[in-house]
Amino acid sequence: MSKTISILGSTGSIGRQTLDVAEQLGLQVAAITAHASVERMEEQARKFRPALAVLTDEAAARDLAVRLQDTDTRVLGGFDALEEAATVPEADTVVTAVVGMVGLKPTLAAIQEKKRIALANKETLVCAGQLVMDAADAAGAEIVPVDSEHSAIFQCLQGCRDRREIKRMILTCSGGPFYGMTREEAGKMTRADALKHPNWTMGPKITVDCATLMNKGLEVIEAMRLYRLPLSQVSVVIHRQSIVHSLVEYRDGAVLAQLGTPDMRLPIRYAMTYPNRGVNPAEPLDLLTCPPLTFAQPDREVFPCLRLAEEAAQEGGTACAVLNAANEEAVGLFLAGKIGFYDIPALVAKARAQVKTIHDPSLEEILAADSAARRVVLET
């Protein structure tokens, strides 16, 4: 069980909920990081008294340093400081809750220090899964997933002694706010429409990814890397109620599922307390009052991002880094009101076509592919 944690991305949705869980469990907080949220960081620093606070925006970091000069919290600025936050000696667990590729280097740094990685930054495994998992194996570092779907699978695998017994993993997907629409209807949807997720409260980027189903595609790649399985053993079903968080089917026909309310504090708590389970003050799932549970196939024509992600997963190498980078930039343009809903998959497909895939890439080649994909989108 964790005793002291560092949180990369403490002001985001996952980061704030992690601090709630840490307070409930009585965990110490050694370091917190964010991009430029000065006021919220000051509030968190004064409440949890970390040894280190990092803002990657250096001007914001200077402002925070002035605000916290009456405390013992040291303030650093810049992206390189994320690695220092990830490796502070006091922390035994690092929660990686930043969005995007910025989480990769600090995660690798924490792995080298044999920290437990409570992984909520899916891009780390999507873009460099083989490198990350090999590094964790070599260092003896634990990776415990925080995403609700991967936490569910992680829990369903606790009694599995031989991974050859797994027939397939089934990731559930709410379907997002545009489920059931035709392609014509979805194409008319705006930024405001895409941000109305039916079940979860999350940041804008991941919420748009849920609307396009790219989030589920990224989770397919993440599951393949985390559990070292081929695409043929990872599937997706639409489950509108977000009660069944994912399932594992075994070769003898048994199917194990993890159920719970749609509350991210549940997988966060398990990542903190694993292999034990802590007391949860929240209301548990009531099977007598929850809605009927339904399942359906995803529509890859209306939601082509899922298909694009599966194609990148099948190809492997830097294809997944290109997919992720192009999607990040395209979603940013969509959130800024500069492109339409279906321009997102179109730009991702264009980047995939123009950036050559390198198999068995080095970290430098992954980062280069990431940069190349971003250029394709931004220069379009």
Side-chain angles (χ1 to χ4, degrees):
M1 176 173 170
S2 304
K3 294 181 180 179
T4 304
I5 64 174
S6 291
I7 307 175
L8 310 183
S10 65
T11 63
S13 176
I14 296 296
R16 296 195 305 273
Q17 292 178 86
T18 299
L19 286 170
D20 290 344
V21 170
E23 186 174 19
Q24 293 168 359
L25 293 174
L27 305 181
Q28 298 298 309
V29 179
I32 54 177
T33 83
H35 176 54
S37 302
V38 176
E39 292 185 1
R40 183 164 279 169
M41 279 289 279
E42 179 185 6
E43 178 183 340
Q44 291 178 349
R46 291 190 180 280
K47 181 174 182 178
F48 292 95
R49 301 183 180 279
L52 176 64
V54 171
L55 286 175
T56 54
D57 182 299
E58 297 196 19
R62 289 191 291 271
D63 185 4
L64 182 65
V66 172
R67 291 170 180 245
L68 294 179
Q69 60 185 347
D70 63 325
T71 73
D72 293 329
T73 298
R74 184 165 57 105
V75 178
L76 293 177
F79 285 96
D80 290 344
L82 291 176
E83 294 182 43
E84 184 159 349
T87 56
V88 291
E90 302 92 331
D92 52 61
T93 298
V94 177
V95 181
T96 59
V98 292
V99 176
M101 276 284 281
V102 296
L104 177 56
K105 286 186 176 181
T107 299
L108 288 171
I111 284 172
Q112 293 304 314
E113 297 298 318
K114 298 181 171 56
K115 309 286 190 184
R116 170 181 290 184
I117 309 299
L119 188 65
N121 169 253
K122 60 176 58 66
E123 293 85 356
T124 292
L125 289 186
V126 167
C127 300
Q130 189 68 46
L131 283 175
V132 171
M133 295 306 296
D134 287 350
D137 288 346
E142 284 184 315
I143 297 180
V144 182
V146 169
D147 272 350
S148 61
E149 295 82 358
H150 295 98
S151 176
I153 289 173
F154 185 76
Q155 294 177 61
C156 291
L157 289 175
Q158 291 310 301
C160 178
R161 299 181 181 179
D162 185 345
R163 293 291 169 87
R164 291 174 298 180
E165 295 177 346
I166 300 169
K167 184 176 181 181
R168 63 174 176 152
M169 295 176 174
I170 306 169
L171 301 177
T172 55
C173 173
S174 73
F178 304 155
Y179 175 74
M181 292 186 182
T182 64
R183 188 179 175 94
E184 181 180 5
E185 291 169 335
K188 297 176 182 178
M189 294 297 103
T190 66
R191 173 188 187 278
D193 297 321
L195 293 177
K196 296 176 183 176
H197 195 281
N199 300 334
W200 299 93
T201 300
M202 302 173 291
K205 194 270 182 182
I206 189 173
T207 305
V208 173
D209 282 348
C210 288
T212 65
L213 296 200
M214 179 61 87
N215 187 58
K216 203 53 50 178
L218 297 176
E219 288 177 359
V220 167
I221 300 170
E222 186 179 5
M224 292 169 60
R225 304 295 179 257
L226 192 58
Y227 302 110
R228 301 183 185 273
L229 292 176
L231 180 62
S232 60
Q233 288 183 265
V234 183
S235 61
V236 175
V237 298
I238 302 294
H239 170 57
R240 293 292 284 165
Q241 298 78 29
S242 297
I243 297 297
V244 177
H245 295 299
S246 279
L247 313 91
V248 176
E249 179 182 358
Y250 290 92
R251 65 187 181 188
D252 64 356
V255 179
L256 300 187
Q258 188 264 327
L259 285 70
T261 56
D263 183 349
M264 281 304 300
R265 290 173 181 82
L266 296 177
I268 292 169
R269 182 182 301 276
Y270 189 64
M272 299 296 100
T273 63
Y274 172 78
N276 304 311
R277 291 184 182 272
V279 175
N280 187 353
E283 285 293 321
L285 174 67
D286 185 347
L287 293 175
L288 298 179
T289 59
C290 76
L293 307 182
T294 61
F295 303 90
Q297 283 282 359
D299 188 334
R300 290 170 174 79
E301 294 304 314
V302 178
F303 302 102
C305 282
L306 176 57
R307 173 178 50 79
L308 289 168
E310 290 169 334
E311 290 171 357
Q314 187 67 51
E315 186 170 358
T318 55
C320 297
V322 169
L323 173 96
N324 176 75
N327 180 67
E328 281 188 19
E329 295 298 339
V331 170
L333 293 173
F334 176 74
L335 287 169
K338 296 181 179 180
I339 63 172
F341 184 69
Y342 279 114
D343 291 323
I344 297 173
L347 288 170
V348 171
K350 183 175 182 179
R352 285 274 289 114
Q354 292 190 12
V355 182
K356 181 181 178 181
T357 297
I358 298 173
H359 294 282
D360 298 320
S362 65
L363 178 59
E364 291 72 23
E365 288 170 327
I366 291 170
L367 295 175
D370 175 275
S371 297
R374 293 178 193 277
R375 285 196 300 272
V376 170
V377 172
L378 295 176
E379 292 173 1
T380 299

PDB file of all heavy atoms in Angstrom, residues 237-249:
ATOM      1  N   VAL A 237     -17.050  -3.148 -26.361  1.00  0.00           N
ATOM      2  CA  VAL A 237     -18.514  -3.179 -26.433  1.00  0.00           C
ATOM      3  C   VAL A 237     -19.066  -1.876 -25.857  1.00  0.00           C
ATOM      4  O   VAL A 237     -18.482  -1.304 -24.932  1.00  0.00           O
ATOM      5  CB  VAL A 237     -19.128  -4.377 -25.676  1.00  0.00           C
ATOM      6  CG1 VAL A 237     -18.686  -5.692 -26.272  1.00  0.00           C
ATOM      7  CG2 VAL A 237     -18.813  -4.315 -24.195  1.00  0.00           C
ATOM      8  N   ILE A 238     -20.158  -1.402 -26.427  1.00  0.00           N
ATOM      9  CA  ILE A 238     -20.847  -0.235 -25.893  1.00  0.00           C
ATOM     10  C   ILE A 238     -21.683  -0.665 -24.701  1.00  0.00           C
ATOM     11  O   ILE A 238     -22.480  -1.604 -24.781  1.00  0.00           O
ATOM     12  CB  ILE A 238     -21.762   0.412 -26.961  1.00  0.00           C
ATOM     13  CG1 ILE A 238     -20.947   0.823 -28.184  1.00  0.00           C
ATOM     14  CG2 ILE A 238     -22.514   1.600 -26.364  1.00  0.00           C
ATOM     15  CD1 ILE A 238     -19.945   1.911 -27.937  1.00  0.00           C
ATOM     16  N   HIS A 239     -21.479   0.031 -23.592  1.00  0.00           N
ATOM     17  CA  HIS A 239     -22.243  -0.237 -22.362  1.00  0.00           C
ATOM     18  C   HIS A 239     -22.624   1.121 -21.794  1.00  0.00           C
ATOM     19  O   HIS A 239     -21.824   1.778 -21.119  1.00  0.00           O
ATOM     20  CB  HIS A 239     -21.388  -1.044 -21.386  1.00  0.00           C
ATOM     21  CG  HIS A 239     -21.973  -1.176 -20.013  1.00  0.00           C
ATOM     22  ND1 HIS A 239     -23.218  -1.708 -19.785  1.00  0.00           N
ATOM     23  CD2 HIS A 239     -21.485  -0.827 -18.787  1.00  0.00           C
ATOM     24  CE1 HIS A 239     -23.470  -1.683 -18.482  1.00  0.00           C
ATOM     25  NE2 HIS A 239     -22.438  -1.150 -17.868  1.00  0.00           N
ATOM     26  N   ARG A 240     -23.820   1.569 -22.103  1.00  0.00           N
ATOM     27  CA  ARG A 240     -24.220   2.945 -21.853  1.00  0.00           C
ATOM     28  C   ARG A 240     -24.234   3.314 -20.376  1.00  0.00           C
ATOM     29  O   ARG A 240     -24.067   4.479 -20.007  1.00  0.00           O
ATOM     30  CB  ARG A 240     -25.616   3.205 -22.430  1.00  0.00           C
ATOM     31  CG  ARG A 240     -25.680   3.147 -23.934  1.00  0.00           C
ATOM     32  CD  ARG A 240     -24.922   4.292 -24.571  1.00  0.00           C
ATOM     33  NE  ARG A 240     -25.633   5.559 -24.490  1.00  0.00           N
ATOM     34  CZ  ARG A 240     -25.096   6.743 -24.714  1.00  0.00           C
ATOM     35  NH1 ARG A 240     -23.813   6.837 -25.006  1.00  0.00           N
ATOM     36  NH2 ARG A 240     -25.811   7.844 -24.634  1.00  0.00           N
ATOM     37  N   GLN A 241     -24.440   2.364 -19.495  1.00  0.00           N
ATOM     38  CA  GLN A 241     -24.652   2.674 -18.086  1.00  0.00           C
ATOM     39  C   GLN A 241     -23.361   2.902 -17.303  1.00  0.00           C
ATOM     40  O   GLN A 241     -23.389   3.403 -16.186  1.00  0.00           O
ATOM     41  CB  GLN A 241     -25.470   1.558 -17.416  1.00  0.00           C
ATOM     42  CG  GLN A 241     -26.853   1.359 -17.991  1.00  0.00           C
ATOM     43  CD  GLN A 241     -26.863   0.597 -19.305  1.00  0.00           C
ATOM     44  OE1 GLN A 241     -25.991  -0.240 -19.563  1.00  0.00           O
ATOM     45  NE2 GLN A 241     -27.836   0.893 -20.164  1.00  0.00           N
ATOM     46  N   SER A 242     -22.218   2.506 -17.849  1.00  0.00           N
ATOM     47  CA  SER A 242     -20.914   2.646 -17.169  1.00  0.00           C
ATOM     48  C   SER A 242     -20.931   2.031 -15.765  1.00  0.00           C
ATOM     49  O   SER A 242     -20.384   2.584 -14.818  1.00  0.00           O
ATOM     50  CB  SER A 242     -20.500   4.129 -17.094  1.00  0.00           C
ATOM     51  OG  SER A 242     -20.311   4.670 -18.367  1.00  0.00           O
ATOM     52  N   ILE A 243     -21.564   0.885 -15.659  1.00  0.00           N
ATOM     53  CA  ILE A 243     -21.590   0.127 -14.393  1.00  0.00           C
ATOM     54  C   ILE A 243     -20.586  -1.026 -14.458  1.00  0.00           C
ATOM     55  O   ILE A 243     -19.822  -1.260 -13.524  1.00  0.00           O
ATOM     56  CB  ILE A 243     -23.007  -0.414 -14.110  1.00  0.00           C
ATOM     57  CG1 ILE A 243     -24.008   0.734 -13.935  1.00  0.00           C
ATOM     58  CG2 ILE A 243     -22.993  -1.316 -12.876  1.00  0.00           C
ATOM     59  CD1 ILE A 243     -23.748   1.644 -12.775  1.00  0.00           C
ATOM     60  N   VAL A 244     -20.589  -1.765 -15.575  1.00  0.00           N
ATOM     61  CA  VAL A 244     -19.573  -2.788 -15.820  1.00  0.00           C
ATOM     62  C   VAL A 244     -18.381  -2.071 -16.446  1.00  0.00           C
ATOM     63  O   VAL A 244     -18.469  -1.532 -17.542  1.00  0.00           O
ATOM     64  CB  VAL A 244     -20.090  -3.881 -16.767  1.00  0.00           C
ATOM     65  CG1 VAL A 244     -18.982  -4.894 -17.062  1.00  0.00           C
ATOM     66  CG2 VAL A 244     -21.307  -4.571 -16.172  1.00  0.00           C
ATOM     67  N   HIS A 245     -17.255  -2.057 -15.750  1.00  0.00           N
ATOM     68  CA  HIS A 245     -16.138  -1.234 -16.206  1.00  0.00           C
ATOM     69  C   HIS A 245     -15.221  -1.946 -17.187  1.00  0.00           C
ATOM     70  O   HIS A 245     -14.529  -1.287 -17.953  1.00  0.00           O
ATOM     71  CB  HIS A 245     -15.371  -0.694 -14.998  1.00  0.00           C
ATOM     72  CG  HIS A 245     -16.208   0.235 -14.183  1.00  0.00           C
ATOM     73  ND1 HIS A 245     -16.725   1.394 -14.700  1.00  0.00           N
ATOM     74  CD2 HIS A 245     -16.668   0.152 -12.906  1.00  0.00           C
ATOM     75  CE1 HIS A 245     -17.457   2.004 -13.776  1.00  0.00           C
ATOM     76  NE2 HIS A 245     -17.440   1.267 -12.686  1.00  0.00           N
ATOM     77  N   SER A 246     -15.210  -3.250 -17.192  1.00  0.00           N
ATOM     78  CA  SER A 246     -14.579  -4.075 -18.222  1.00  0.00           C
ATOM     79  C   SER A 246     -14.655  -5.526 -17.779  1.00  0.00           C
ATOM     80  O   SER A 246     -15.026  -5.818 -16.624  1.00  0.00           O
ATOM     81  CB  SER A 246     -13.126  -3.675 -18.516  1.00  0.00           C
ATOM     82  OG  SER A 246     -13.083  -2.565 -19.399  1.00  0.00           O
ATOM     83  N   LEU A 247     -14.314  -6.435 -18.700  1.00  0.00           N
ATOM     84  CA  LEU A 247     -14.461  -7.866 -18.444  1.00  0.00           C
ATOM     85  C   LEU A 247     -13.254  -8.619 -18.993  1.00  0.00           C
ATOM     86  O   LEU A 247     -12.586  -8.151 -19.923  1.00  0.00           O
ATOM     87  CB  LEU A 247     -15.730  -8.424 -19.108  1.00  0.00           C
ATOM     88  CG  LEU A 247     -17.047  -7.664 -18.933  1.00  0.00           C
ATOM     89  CD1 LEU A 247     -17.243  -6.652 -20.069  1.00  0.00           C
ATOM     90  CD2 LEU A 247     -18.223  -8.616 -18.873  1.00  0.00           C
ATOM     91  N   VAL A 248     -13.020  -9.803 -18.431  1.00  0.00           N
ATOM     92  CA  VAL A 248     -12.006 -10.722 -18.956  1.00  0.00           C
ATOM     93  C   VAL A 248     -12.667 -12.063 -19.199  1.00  0.00           C
ATOM     94  O   VAL A 248     -13.313 -12.626 -18.303  1.00  0.00           O
ATOM     95  CB  VAL A 248     -10.822 -10.891 -17.979  1.00  0.00           C
ATOM     96  CG1 VAL A 248      -9.840 -11.939 -18.520  1.00  0.00           C
ATOM     97  CG2 VAL A 248     -10.106  -9.572 -17.760  1.00  0.00           C
ATOM     98  N   GLU A 249     -12.546 -12.548 -20.424  1.00  0.00           N
ATOM     99  CA  GLU A 249     -13.059 -13.873 -20.776  1.00  0.00           C
ATOM    100  C   GLU A 249     -11.898 -14.857 -20.768  1.00  0.00           C
ATOM    101  O   GLU A 249     -10.859 -14.604 -21.394  1.00  0.00           O
ATOM    102  CB  GLU A 249     -13.719 -13.844 -22.151  1.00  0.00           C
ATOM    103  CG  GLU A 249     -14.263 -15.190 -22.586  1.00  0.00           C
ATOM    104  CD  GLU A 249     -14.871 -15.164 -23.982  1.00  0.00           C
ATOM    105  OE1 GLU A 249     -14.898 -14.078 -24.610  1.00  0.00           O
ATOM    106  OE2 GLU A 249     -15.287 -16.236 -24.451  1.00  0.00           O
TER     107      GLU A 249
END
